[in-house]
Amino acid sequence: MSGAVLDSSIWLEYFVGGKHAKTCFKYIQTHKPLWTPSLVIYEVYKKICKEKSETEGLLVITQIEGQSENIISLDERLALFSADISLKHKLAMADAIIYATAIHQEAQLITRDHHFKGLDEVILV
């Protein structure tokens, strides 16, 4: 495995200063390269805008993009793979896309979301 995909829950915990923010920061700093699904950009931006402001949301996304090797867009191939992952592991659409992105990039998925518990190459924080 090379690098990591950080789930939205990791980025949000870090940016809102939750009780696991320091641990999340450690993963941001030590797991390179970081691959970011475009869906994570959506989820993080929406949450920060709702709780803080659009300006803060844009600042957070700029920081995520600066830490990421690449933003991975959902294309037809990844969409079909995500659907297969969803069916196989009984994951919701967003979770399946994020997990499929990690598998596709041959990376670990780092998350705080227990929907991923027991899946290969997942680190629960």
Side-chain angles (χ1 to χ4, degrees), residues 15 33 36-37 42-43 45 72 74 80 83-84 96 100 107-109 119:
F15 284 116
T36 302
Y42 167 87
E43 290 180 330
Y45 175 75
I72 308 298
L74 181 64
L80 293 173
D84 290 339
Q108 292 181 309
L109 173 61
L119 297 178

Side-chain angles (χ1 to χ4, degrees), residues 70-82:
N70 199 2
I71 306 299
I72 308 298
S73 296
L74 181 64
D75 60 13
E76 180 182 1
R77 181 175 166 208
L78 186 55
L80 293 173
F81 183 53
S82 298

